[in-house]
Amino acid sequence: MKEIVIISGKGGTGKTSITASFAVLGGNNAVVADCDVDAADMHLLMQPDFDFSEDFYSGELATIDANNCIRCNKCAKVCRFGAISIRSMQYVIDPLSCEGCGYCARVCPTEAITNKNRLAGKWYISNIKTGSIMVHARLGIGADNSGKLVAKVKNEARDIAFEERKDIILVDGSPGVGCPVVSSLSGANFVVLVTEPSVSGLHDLKRVYELVKKFKIKAGCIINKSDVNPKKRDEIVGFLAEENIVHLADLPYDENFTSAMTQGQTIVEYDQNSIKTLLTSSWERIKQLVINQNHNR
Amino acid sequence: MTNSPARIAIASGKGGTGKTTLATNLAAYIAEQEEVVLVDLDVEEPNSGLFFKGDLIHEESNFKMIPQWDEPKCTFCGLCQKVCNFHAVLQLGPTILVFPELCHSCYACSELCPTDALPMISKRTGKLSDFRINNLHFVESRLDVGEEQAVPTISKTKQYSNENYAHLRIEIYDCPPGTSCPVIEATKNADFVILITEPTPFGLHDLTLAIETMRTLKKPMGVVVNRYGIGNDAVIDYCQKENITILAKIPNSRRIAELYSSGKLIYQEIPEVKELLSNILDYCLKASKGDIE
Ligand code: SF4
Ligand code: SF4
Ligand code: SF4
Ligand code: SF4
């Protein structure tokens, strides 16, 4: 079982479209995990059936039972997050400001405050059009710590891949360089970095690669819209060579990506186009690299 | 209150839809006429600064408060570990360990410790920088690597701007993407929120979540459709149905993509975009004063 994670540092580089294409190329042998829970879009291309769903709880949320409150103001005094206020003579907690630290409940003399688990989102297991299975999620509004939901999605995908004897787990990774992307990367066998030739593209690539290096994961890179800025493209290629990152492909600026998407398709299912060929050979290359890794060990 | 700046927040359901492009272009456009401040609140990945080369006029560290163990005072009662909901304090044999990255600075352990053995001290979490390019003030914060919590830094950065630029007419916030905590913090005291999206199925999906989030916060908002011409009309139809104003449609063009990729301001090269910015600004200012809706 091999885990391949696709990340991009920042959104908008075509990461999800490319991951979805690999999912189609991987067919029923690839379990898909959409770990971009903050902007989970991949299901739009995969025809998921939302076969199973479950609420995801993370952290706590305090609430005041007005019947037990003697309005002593102790809770409001200790709350460091300005979450407790008085509205129409009642002490109330604003769920969007409450961090769930539990301090208020500890000082309340009448036990009027209870901490409940906070609903932070929902996660799903779906059968998808590739004949395989996808684990995906939706983070709740104002939820904290998407890292935990990412870890959940990934662990479920691993369990499924193990039970169903699938060879590949394809992970659409989270953006940024924080906790969610760390959860996306942990345990991966190969990382595909998707970037574009722009000032911010290279900047984000370098930042996220720092993280990949810490995990000592072998990486390859796809440069999307590579012809938009040939000079920056060359700079990126230089960086790849320096860091020993496999340069998988240069994709041209191509509006077929969007045309395919509007029809709920990945670009490799769409009419003949140059990107289809490039992505197919990238996928073959990735598979080879992942298998070779085994031999080296 | 009436004289505080109009705060315009630029947000999107996900990254890469042109949020930073709009923020930098709008700020630079306003700066042609008057002083303005652009605040980059995407503290995990601040990118606006790549588009401006200004003079650094002020720099300071950002801090958060964490408990520090004062060993001689500790009686090993174990209370601190029990009260910390974030597992940031741990009693390990005859030692109390604090994990600064996990601490949310709630003060519970510190204030409940019976012997005052956990005083709060400040710890650096990143750096705030304030640049100036003629009429344009540009404030950004950057989290130190390994620092997880964006929210305190976002709130601190807004506070810095509010304190130093209260005399200006307009403040622009470049917000983090998504719908989670950091976005809420970044937009919660904005007067108007611009959501930028692309007319694609992904764009529509992320926009619906962003709109839902802003409705929870009861914010007046408008939508800018970027790369108009690709994809389909579903975003436009959706906004009409939901009664949300479309502030502008920025045309899809390879030329814009090229300008962006080399870090150039778009409106300076494409007059049509300049006109769109002017329309967006007019609407935002009216709406933040409550003249619309
Ligand atoms: S749990 Fe913490 S953040 Fe929430 S209201 Fe109580 S003291 Fe405030
Ligand atoms: S501490 Fe308890 S009793 Fe006092 S105001 Fe808060 S909820 Fe009411
Ligand atoms: S609460 Fe104070 S006295 Fe008790 S173990 Fe913690 S630091 Fe020591
Ligand atoms: S201040 Fe709050 S979050 Fe930080 S260690 Fe103490 S109890 Fe935990």
Side-chain angles (χ1 to χ4, degrees):
Chain A
M1 200 164 78
K2 297 289 179 189
E3 216 169 284
I4 301 165
V5 182
I6 295 95
I7 53 171
S8 75
K10 215 166 192 176
T13 54
K15 167 181 69 79
T16 300
S17 299
I18 290 171
T19 313
S21 299
F22 289 161
V24 168
L25 295 169
N28 69 6
N29 200 14
V31 172
V32 179
D34 187 353
C35 287
D36 192 353
V37 297
D38 234 321
D41 284 332
M42 198 170 160
H43 62 278
L44 299 170
L45 299 178
M46 291 286 116
Q47 286 170 17
D49 65 354
F50 296 87
D51 192 27
F52 172 88
S53 73
E54 196 175 88
D55 287 340
F56 179 76
Y57 291 90
S58 171
E60 292 188 346
L61 182 66
T63 46
I64 296 175
D65 174 3
N67 296 325
N68 287 334
C69 174
I70 54 166
R71 300 188 196 134
C72 70
N73 197 46
K74 280 199 173 122
C75 54
K77 230 159 72 196
V78 299
C79 178
R80 281 291 188 304
F81 306 98
I84 306 181
S85 58
I86 307 169
R87 244 173 269 156
S88 7
M89 305 280 289
Q90 303 254 351
Y91 279 84
V92 286
I93 295 177
D94 169 18
L96 284 176
S97 299
C98 175
E99 294 254 335
C101 69
Y103 194 177
C104 53
R106 295 187 190 279
V107 299
C108 173
T110 61
E111 294 181 9
I113 304 179
T114 41
N115 296 304
K116 289 183 303 189
N117 289 331
R118 182 193 289 262
L119 184 63
K122 231 182 162 86
W123 67 277
Y124 314 91
I125 300 175
S126 291
N127 298 300
I128 51 175
K129 67 179 179 190
T130 62
S132 183
I133 295 163
M134 167 167 174
V135 185
H136 47 133
R138 185 186 158 169
L139 193 67
I141 287 173
D144 190 9
N145 218 331
S146 54
K148 285 185 188 156
L149 185 52
V150 169
K152 175 85 192 164
V153 166
K154 221 174 142 168
N155 288 335
E156 289 296 330
R158 273 181 194 152
D159 288 351
I160 291 168
F162 182 75
E163 275 163 30
E164 309 266 324
R165 301 203 162 113
K166 308 275 188 193
D167 292 326
I168 295 167
I169 303 174
L170 257 181
V171 181
D172 189 3
S174 328
V177 289
C179 173
V181 70
V182 168
S183 303
S184 311
L185 285 173
S186 73
N189 301 93
F190 192 79
V191 173
V192 180
L193 302 151
V194 180
T195 187
E196 53 181 35
S198 66
V199 277
S200 49
L202 182 57
H203 168 93
D204 295 335
L205 176 68
K206 285 183 177 166
R207 253 171 80 98
V208 79
Y209 187 64
E210 281 303 305
L211 205 64
V212 174
K213 260 208 301 217
K214 277 194 200 145
F215 281 92
K216 299 196 171 65
I217 312 170
K218 181 79 190 147
C221 180
I222 294 178
I223 308 176
N224 196 8
K225 305 181 196 162
S226 60
D227 51 344
V228 160
N229 189 333
K231 218 180 100 214
K232 272 275 171 272
R233 180 259 172 205
D234 293 347
E235 265 179 63
I236 294 175
V237 173
F239 171 74
L240 300 182
E242 240 169 69
E243 296 286 350
N244 226 338
I245 303 169
V246 183
H247 181 191
L248 293 166
D250 276 347
L251 305 184
Y253 179 93
D254 190 337
E255 282 164 17
N256 278 321
F257 258 120
T258 321
S259 313
M261 191 201 290
T262 40
Q263 295 183 19
Q265 285 182 350
T266 63
I267 191 145
V268 294
E269 295 163 285
Y270 200 58
D271 305 336
Q272 277 309 322
N273 58 68
S274 59
I275 292 194
K276 184 173 179 168
T277 330
L278 288 165
L279 282 179
T280 310
S281 56
S282 301
W283 177 241
E284 291 307 318
R285 185 84 195 280
I286 293 166
K287 280 199 293 192
Q288 251 175 22
L289 287 164
V290 174
I291 293 160
N292 280 345
Q293 222 177 29
N294 236 5
H295 295 293
N296 294 341
R297 272 185 194 161
Chain B
M1 184 68 205
T2 42
N3 284 329
S4 68
R7 300 197 174 108
I8 303 173
I10 303 177
S12 65
K14 67 160 181 179
T17 54
K19 188 170 54 65
T20 298
T21 312
L22 179 60
T24 49
N25 278 272
L26 189 61
Y29 168 74
I30 298 169
E32 289 184 350
Q33 310 290 331
E34 63 181 272
E35 258 185 75
V36 62
V37 58
L38 169 63
V39 191
D40 193 341
L41 295 176
D42 193 356
V43 299
E44 284 178 63
E45 297 273 330
N47 258 346
S48 293
L50 295 169
F51 296 85
F52 298 116
K53 305 223 168 357
D55 301 321
L56 182 65
I57 59 161
H58 179 76
E59 201 170 54
E60 63 186 52
S61 293
N62 290 325
F63 296 99
K64 76 174 185 187
M65 302 302 286
I66 59 161
Q68 187 184 43
W69 187 43
D70 186 355
E71 185 173 356
K73 283 188 178 166
C74 178
T75 58
F76 300 98
C77 69
L79 188 70
C80 47
Q81 170 172 331
K82 218 172 79 195
V83 301
C84 182
N85 263 4
F86 307 105
H87 311 289
V89 214
L90 192 70
Q91 182 173 356
L92 209 71
T95 319
I96 302 291
L97 292 172
V98 175
F99 298 93
E101 325 76 54
L102 299 179
C103 174
H104 284 229
S105 313
C106 75
Y107 283 68
C109 60
S110 180
E111 293 176 356
L112 294 173
C113 167
T115 59
D116 290 329
L118 282 172
M120 297 296 277
I121 57 154
S122 56
K123 177 190 175 288
R124 191 191 132 113
T125 54
K127 187 177 75 180
L128 179 151
S129 318
D130 185 352
F131 300 89
R132 174 151 200 181
I133 314 101
N134 303 317
N135 264 338
L136 178 71
H137 301 273
F138 171 61
V139 180
E140 68 157 36
S141 279
R142 198 170 278 272
L143 284 182
D144 286 341
V145 174
E147 193 51 56
E148 294 288 348
Q149 284 158 46
V151 171
T153 301
I154 293 171
S155 124
K156 166 74 205 310
T157 312
K158 282 191 303 183
Q159 194 190 334
Y160 173 90
S161 170
N162 296 167
E163 278 164 12
N164 289 277
Y165 297 111
H167 60 287
L168 301 184
R169 194 166 70 106
I170 305 167
E171 253 186 290
I172 295 185
Y173 295 161
D174 185 357
C175 299
T179 58
S180 59
C181 278
V183 195
I184 307 269
E185 181 61 37
T187 49
K188 79 179 181 198
N189 50 356
D191 298 302
F192 189 80
V193 179
I194 302 176
L195 296 173
I196 179 158
T197 190
E198 292 180 349
T200 64
F202 286 6
L204 174 63
H205 180 251
D206 299 326
L207 179 69
T208 56
L209 299 180
I211 287 176
E212 207 183 309
T213 309
M214 291 310 137
R215 283 197 169 140
T216 319
L217 292 175
K218 302 193 174 62
K219 290 288 163 197
M221 60 185 145
V223 168
V224 169
V225 181
N226 197 15
R227 302 188 64 207
Y228 181 67
I230 59 165
N232 56 24
D233 279 338
V235 163
I236 311 271
D237 296 344
Y238 176 79
C239 290
Q240 261 156 14
K241 198 182 91 214
E242 294 289 318
N243 226 337
I244 291 163
T245 309
I246 298 199
L247 303 170
K249 298 169 190 161
I250 301 174
N252 180 45
S253 108
R254 189 177 163 124
R255 178 88 188 106
I256 292 181
E258 286 168 0
L259 289 167
Y260 169 80
S261 75
S262 34
K264 292 206 179 98
L265 289 170
I266 289 151
Y267 78 92
Q268 290 175 345
E269 316 267 338
I270 302 180
E272 190 187 346
V273 173
K274 191 166 181 169
E275 202 172 303
L276 293 173
L277 290 176
S278 144
N279 296 342
I280 294 172
L281 182 63
D282 282 351
Y283 189 94
C284 291
L285 288 178
K286 276 190 206 133
S288 12
K289 273 191 272 157
D291 290 355
I292 295 170
E293 280 163 352

